[in-house]
Amino acid sequence: MSPDPYSYFAEFYDALTQNVGYDKRADMLMELFKRHSHEPGLTLDLACGTGSLTLELCKRGVDAFGADASSEMLSIAQQKFAEDGRQTLFLCQKMQELTLYGSIHTCVCTLDSINHLPSAGDVVRSFKRIACYLEDDGLFVFDCNTVYKHKHILGNNCFIYDTEGVFCAWQNDYFESDNRVLITLDFFEPAGKLYRRSTEQFSEIAYTRAQMKDMLAQAGMYIEAVYDEEGFSEPGETAQREIYVVRKVKT
């Protein structure tokens, strides 16, 4: 098992997330900014991973930079930008320890990165760090896996991903007490006639809308809107991921 979270995952992340559609996610964010009469300005892509969304936002004229706790992920992100002939800033920082050089007008945090934080306390600390740097008229947009997804979709299930460069066995263990899913990923990479195996393990915790509202309030922020991932509609009971649009409480 890797000593640092996502160190092995970084190597295979792009191959295993080919269906994410970062271009469509970037388009959705641009439409969301428009619907909320918001000019993105300086934008932080928090928990940016390998920088795919950061790059798509930059292609759309957004002054975006990224932060992630994984140096391995950020190394790939920097290479991705170099290959596209672009430059931006990447910071190797945990969300709950975010330290910036100045204020930001927008923060986005996608692909259930908030769920990856190890506790509700870490979520609140992360929200407080974001609020510390977010301008008064700024916007914070993030998505989260729902309790429904953790209980009924991820649950105690197993998934198999077979790509050209890696075979991945995904095993889940669901804990109802805190809606947490322990995820174990076993990667099998071709190495001659054999396979090289590596293992990654981490947890995701799902929160109710009321819990999320309370944690944001502790950081001096409030929910302006919540959308279903599939469009700009109110999430239903079986929604698997919700998109939160958040602002700071005016003082």
Side-chain angles (χ1 to χ4, degrees), residues 30 39-41 43 55-64 86:
M30 299 303 291
E39 289 294 332
T43 299
L55 181 58
E56 290 296 333
L57 289 173
C58 288
K59 288 180 178 180
R60 286 156 178 77
V62 178
D63 185 8
R86 298 175 185 268

Side-chain angles (χ1 to χ4, degrees), residues 12 20 27 45 57 68 109 129 135 146 159 184 195 234 239 248:
F12 311 116
V20 166
D27 288 340
D45 183 8
L57 289 173
D68 198 276
C109 186
R129 298 310 297 165
E135 295 177 2
T146 62
F159 305 93
T184 304
Y195 283 84
E234 177 73 16
K248 290 174 64 173

